[in-house]
Amino acid sequence: MAGSRARNARAYPLVSHAMPVRWLTVFLDFPADDFDAGVAFWREVTGCGLSPLRGAEGEFATLLPASGDAYLRV
């Protein structure tokens, strides 16, 4: 097993000229029954507010940080 890992490491060398990430948006997807609990958890963890719900059934929102870009969607 250890030998195969060493061979794989040689087959996939680190890229030295990686493109920098300039923007990141994260979608947190919850089952409908867990939506409220999932949103509450991530609001607590991040300290974010919540945008008005949107979508045909109010199934989408954005977590709004006190400062910076809003990159978390639920």
Side-chain angles (χ1 to χ4, degrees):
M1 178 77 96
S4 66
R5 268 188 258 150
R7 282 191 300 275
N8 286 338
R10 286 191 300 268
Y12 302 104
L14 294 176
V15 176
S16 63
H17 300 284
M19 181 187 299
V21 175
R22 294 176 187 235
W23 187 264
L24 178 69
T25 299
V26 177
F27 291 88
L28 303 170
D29 190 16
F30 311 108
D33 292 343
D34 297 330
F35 182 80
D36 292 335
V39 170
F41 172 82
W42 284 102
R43 287 187 67 195
E44 180 70 25
V45 168
T46 62
C48 287
L50 187 66
S51 74
L53 296 176
R54 58 188 181 277
E57 297 179 28
E59 68 272 29
F60 302 110
T62 300
L63 296 180
L64 303 171
S67 65
D69 295 323
Y71 60 89
L72 291 174
R73 312 280 191 255
V74 294

